[in-house]
Amino acid sequence: MSETAVHGEAIEWESEDEDSDDAEEEEEYTSPSQPPSSANFDKDRHLVYLQMMYELLPYHYQSQEINRLTLAHFIISGLHFLGATDRVDKDVVANWVLSFQAFPRNRASLKDGEFYGFYGSRSSQFPLDVNGDLTHNNSHLASTYCALAILKVIGHDLSTIDSQSLLLSMNNLQQDDGSFMPIHTGGETDLRFVYCAAAISDMLGDWSGMDKEKAKNYILNCQSYDGGFGLIPGSESHGGGTYCAIASLRLMGFIGADLLSNDPSSSILDPSLLLNWSLQRQASDGGFQGRTNKQSDTCYAFWIGAVLKLIGGDAFIDKIALRQFLLSCQSKYGGFSKFPGALPDLYHSYYGYTAFSFLEEPGLSPLCPELGLPLLTSLGI
């Protein structure tokens, strides 16, 4: 994969919610002459769309360069869902991804407070100084998740990674309240980065990089009165925050697949309240909204759908209506848009593919809801 092939997208995990001040920007992408949606999942068009994005991204993505690995994850993992990873050069991709890892000067450096994970792009990867030392380390938890996801998807042996440095230094990012910063300086803390740390630990098969008990307590402090989870304690329940909370608790082993069938008094959270809040997010148009009184959005079909799958409540979803909503967001160019009638983008396209995988669309790889990746990849097969 060439340096110009994949640009990064400045996506904050599920922080691109549909607030009113975004209305004008979204209106620009609405096509009043959009043809009626297809009645079928158009796999061939999606393959063309992803192949085009793999070869050369449109110039609109240049302003989103900072998280180049994120877009690469959406493209390559998306191709895996469609059964087409043979369309990428796996050796070239692996070498490209591995070139983004940060390395400490020596083992003593692992205690200097920095994180030695993966950079999101070349623009955040400053060169070594004249002495060969890393003076500007901007490696990031979300970029590290995406890097490991790509490597798993293409079948790369993760034992070749310096996971010891990565995990030991990840401890530097965990705060006293159990939350995680995404980068060693100047970063915010919320459930997105607790999830990144849990997913990284799971993919590497090593939990030495985080205190699971402290992380669990932070997650539980984020549950709201209505059963959902906010991104931080005391904040409004949010689809992305709820996914990060439940998926993290599952990955860490604090909840099982039988959460709803267990005695509620023995659970660390209120499963019936969580189920009720999650089911209420399916709107009258069949799609899922991220928060109360918000518009349905393609990506929440995964964020909320995966929560319901993880707690054993997916049987209550109106899957026919959800499928119809997703098809209304399927573009004639391939890919998925955020809302019906808008242009497709890689973020919503990827989570459209995960949603159709969750809906068991024929010809798609099955989904691992905890990691948001194809099931066989998550198991290392």
Side-chain angles (χ1 to χ4, degrees), residues 113-115 139-141 169-175 179-185 189 209:
E114 297 190 21
F115 171 54
S139 59
H140 195 282
L141 269 179
S169 63
M170 195 168 77
N171 279 303
N172 298 328
L173 302 180
Q174 190 165 21
Q175 307 300 295
S179 65
F180 276 82
M181 291 176 63
I183 194 169
H184 76 275
T185 180
T189 60

Side-chain angles (χ1 to χ4, degrees), residues 103-105 127-135:
F103 295 98
R105 183 186 309 113
L128 302 178
D129 65 15
V130 293
N131 299 316
D133 293 330
L134 179 63
T135 55

